[in-house]
Amino acid sequence: MLWIALHLPHLPLQALRWSQPGFEATLAVAVAEQHRLLGVNRAARARGVQTGQSAATALSLAPELLVLPRDLRREADVVEAVALTLGALTPNLVLQSSGVLFEVQGSLRLFGGVRHLWRRAVALAQTAGAQARLALAPTASAAWLLATSGITRRRMLRIPACARQLDRVPVAALAELVPIPPRQAELLQALGVQRVGELRRLPRAGLQHRLGKALSVALDRAYGEQPDPRIWFMPPERFEVRRELLQRADDAAVLVAAVEALLPALRGWLQLQWHAATELSLRLRHEHGREPLPDTVLRLQLSTPSRDMNQLALLWRERLQRHALAAPVYELGLALEASVPHGGTPGELLAAPGQTGGEHAALLDRLVARLGAERVRRFVPVADHRPERAQRGVPITEGAAPKPASAEASSALPRPTWLLSTPQPLASDDYGRPLHGGPLALCSRAERIEGGWFDGGLVRRDYHVAVGADHRLRWIYRERSSAVAALDPGAWFLHGWFG
């Protein structure tokens, strides 16, 4: 087996960056717990502030330092979001307090080997907005030790090479595997033990007597001498991720950046569940004033199920830029409202000609996000023989209506792609032939359409396909109703154009 450990160094500070990327680019920021600094950004280090200092000491060095309390819930959200993002690589995930372990032996052939899989994991971590340190080893404990110890060489494929590298790991790094009380740490320092290899060379009986059995078991698991069972991460049954912003957002650009950072987790969840999204919702919580405003909920319906995060990011960008915020936003939540089972698209050596359904659906989704569902309409057939009333426009998001029997019966007859809203009267020559830029030649037999007696809109027409001197096909008819025929027995009208 092969394991990759993804460690998130300085997780308390990364959790702040995850809440709103770039907010501390020019500010000196530190995260503290019990008046002790757990993480500082670059601007704070430039002013002499270091991790481990007391908050009072740090403020004396940099009075403008922004000291924020540690938020364990936000850190757990970051780790879970990274784990869901890595679900695009493997379903075998293990959550750690400051990172994720994932077993990749079964994914090597799928992604083209260790190097390609490694690069893919690094890219996924970056898309999730995480600064990660990765390591690969034959055991889970060894991978985690290599990732958290600061050692430069962190990719080991074989147990012997991994054991030699583990011997160089500082003893202090063992605290990532098993708790080491201060008394035991002092004992190891008194013995002059600095590396794990030196600790392993000590007599085993005495080591267990003084340091406990848990440390020996942890070492045996890291070196592959004992089984290392793990509890797999189970994704939630429903995808819903919240993101609290440290600074209020009153601009769509800030919200777009926050939403895009959540989409990789959505893609991982969909792949872990073998689903594709059909409807998403975005809940915006507004800043409370004297009168609290209700949350704003934006919905995104897809014409076809999708896992394409680039498409979803584009749609949310269009949707948010079109929406006017009622008040500044301090928290947002992305939820998957509906999805369908989706095992992926089978690959083809050569794409079939004319297969542009995906591009057409993506275009429709983008138009809906930009213009609104009420402004993007499609035509559905209506059970009426009159051509001008045989279809009606409905919102593109409305479900497809059943095809009427009349449309099925007349589907073999020629129908133009462009139907004029009002038929255009045509002149005729002395012989009663229609004229439109010259004489028109009839290319089809008459198709008589009669209807509308039931609603007072009676029509009696004989339709023909006609061609003119410009070689364009027209759909024309001769009026047969008594009112028009009494005035002009040979009245012709242009009703549509063929593409």
Side-chain angles (χ1 to χ4, degrees):
M1 295 179 68
L2 280 179
W3 290 79
I4 291 182
L6 188 145
H7 172 55
L8 302 173
H10 309 296
L11 180 59
L13 188 63
Q14 287 202 47
L16 295 180
R17 295 194 181 104
W18 187 77
S19 296
Q20 187 164 335
F23 86 99
E24 31 74 278
T26 58
L27 299 175
V29 180
V31 181
E33 184 179 35
Q34 296 182 353
H35 306 289
R36 187 70 56 182
L37 301 187
L38 300 179
V40 297
N41 67 343
R42 183 178 301 176
R45 286 195 299 270
R47 293 165 173 80
V49 179
Q50 299 293 332
T51 301
Q53 290 178 341
S54 65
T57 302
L59 289 173
S60 65
L61 295 173
E64 71 281 8
L65 179 68
L66 178 61
V67 180
L68 299 174
R70 184 182 187 182
D71 192 335
L72 294 177
R73 184 185 66 83
R74 187 183 289 121
E75 294 178 20
D77 290 343
V78 173
V79 173
E80 182 173 330
V82 173
L84 289 174
T85 303
L86 295 173
L89 300 179
T90 174
N92 301 329
L93 303 162
V94 179
L95 296 189
Q96 299 290 101
S97 59
S98 59
V100 183
L101 280 166
F102 50 107
E103 191 270 319
V104 296
Q105 184 68 45
S107 304
L108 293 180
R109 290 187 62 186
L110 179 62
F111 292 97
V114 173
R115 291 185 178 180
H116 291 85
L117 183 61
W118 178 279
R119 294 169 184 167
R120 187 72 175 270
V122 173
L124 286 175
Q126 292 175 350
T127 57
Q131 296 179 355
R133 182 180 176 88
L134 280 73
L136 182 142
T139 66
S141 297
W144 190 249
L145 268 182
L146 295 176
T148 57
S149 62
I151 285 186
T152 304
R153 189 182 176 193
R154 301 188 303 276
R155 283 195 291 186
M156 302 292 140
L157 301 178
R158 307 290 181 183
I159 287 287
C162 181
R164 290 192 296 270
Q165 196 67 8
L166 287 176
D167 289 343
R168 303 186 181 95
V169 172
V171 172
L174 293 176
E176 295 288 341
L177 299 181
V178 61
I180 299 180
R183 179 174 171 275
Q184 294 182 359
E186 293 175 359
L187 176 60
L188 292 175
Q189 187 176 5
L191 293 174
V193 177
Q194 298 181 353
R195 305 289 177 182
V196 174
E198 300 171 358
L199 180 63
R200 292 252 301 169
R201 285 192 288 268
L202 295 177
R204 187 177 183 86
L207 181 65
Q208 292 185 1
H209 178 71
R210 291 177 174 82
L211 301 179
K213 187 177 180 180
L215 183 60
S216 298
V217 172
L219 287 175
D220 291 342
R221 290 177 175 177
Y223 280 82
E225 298 174 357
Q226 281 194 27
D228 192 2
R230 297 283 174 166
I231 299 177
W232 300 121
F233 165 66
M234 298 299 296
E237 295 183 0
R238 181 175 182 270
F239 179 84
E240 185 174 3
V241 178
R242 295 188 306 167
R243 190 167 192 175
E244 183 180 355
L245 305 179
L246 294 179
Q247 294 179 340
R248 70 176 191 175
D250 50 9
D251 185 12
V254 178
L255 295 178
V256 168
V259 172
E260 288 180 350
L262 300 178
L263 292 179
L266 172 62
R267 176 179 56 187
W269 188 94
L270 291 172
Q271 293 188 346
L272 287 173
Q273 302 288 357
W274 292 87
H275 272 227
T278 57
E279 183 178 355
L280 299 169
S281 68
L282 184 65
R283 181 176 296 273
L284 305 178
R285 295 182 180 270
H286 298 289
E287 187 179 34
H288 293 293
R290 294 182 178 179
E291 296 181 0
L293 294 174
D295 298 344
T296 299
V297 179
L298 305 178
R299 298 190 179 276
L300 189 65
Q301 291 184 341
L302 304 178
S303 56
T304 57
S306 176
R307 292 182 191 168
D308 188 352
M309 295 302 108
N310 293 328
Q311 177 193 1
L312 293 180
L314 180 61
L315 296 179
W316 278 122
R317 186 181 303 115
E318 298 283 359
R319 186 72 175 85
L320 288 171
Q321 289 176 350
R322 187 171 60 89
H323 177 74
L325 295 177
V329 178
Y330 75 92
E331 182 180 316
L332 53 85
L334 179 66
L336 179 66
E337 298 295 340
S339 62
V340 295
H342 183 70
T345 304
E348 297 180 353
L349 180 60
L350 296 176
Q355 289 188 351
T356 59
E359 298 177 1
H360 179 259
L363 175 61
L364 290 180
D365 290 336
R366 185 173 181 181
L367 290 175
V368 170
R370 176 176 293 184
L371 304 176
E374 67 281 358
R375 292 186 176 89
V376 183
R377 308 178 73 83
R378 62 182 177 86
F379 290 99
V380 296
V382 179
D384 197 314
H385 291 284
R386 292 167 291 185
E388 61 270 19
R389 302 190 185 186
Q391 60 185 5
R392 63 185 178 90
V394 298
I396 193 67
T397 55
E398 184 176 317
K403 196 174 183 180
S406 62
E408 294 178 357
S410 61
S411 59
L413 299 175
R415 288 293 182 267
T417 55
W418 178 15
L419 196 68
L420 301 181
S421 58
T422 302
Q424 175 184 344
L426 298 179
S428 56
D429 59 12
D430 297 336
Y431 299 97
R433 294 177 299 183
L435 301 175
H436 189 245
L440 296 180
L442 303 184
C443 302
S444 67
R445 298 175 61 182
E447 176 193 350
R448 177 160 294 184
I449 295 179
E450 295 186 6
W453 55 267
F454 47 84
D455 60 3
L458 178 65
V459 298
R460 298 178 66 234
R461 303 167 181 168
D462 287 343
Y463 278 89
H464 296 268
V465 178
V467 62
D470 56 359
H471 305 289
R472 297 178 65 186
L473 294 179
R474 299 153 172 86
W475 204 40
I476 65 174
Y477 69 85
R478 176 180 288 179
E479 185 64 63
R480 295 295 184 182
S481 63
S482 58
V484 178
L487 298 177
D488 186 359
W492 289 94
F493 294 85
L494 174 65
H495 205 175
W497 293 87
F498 289 90

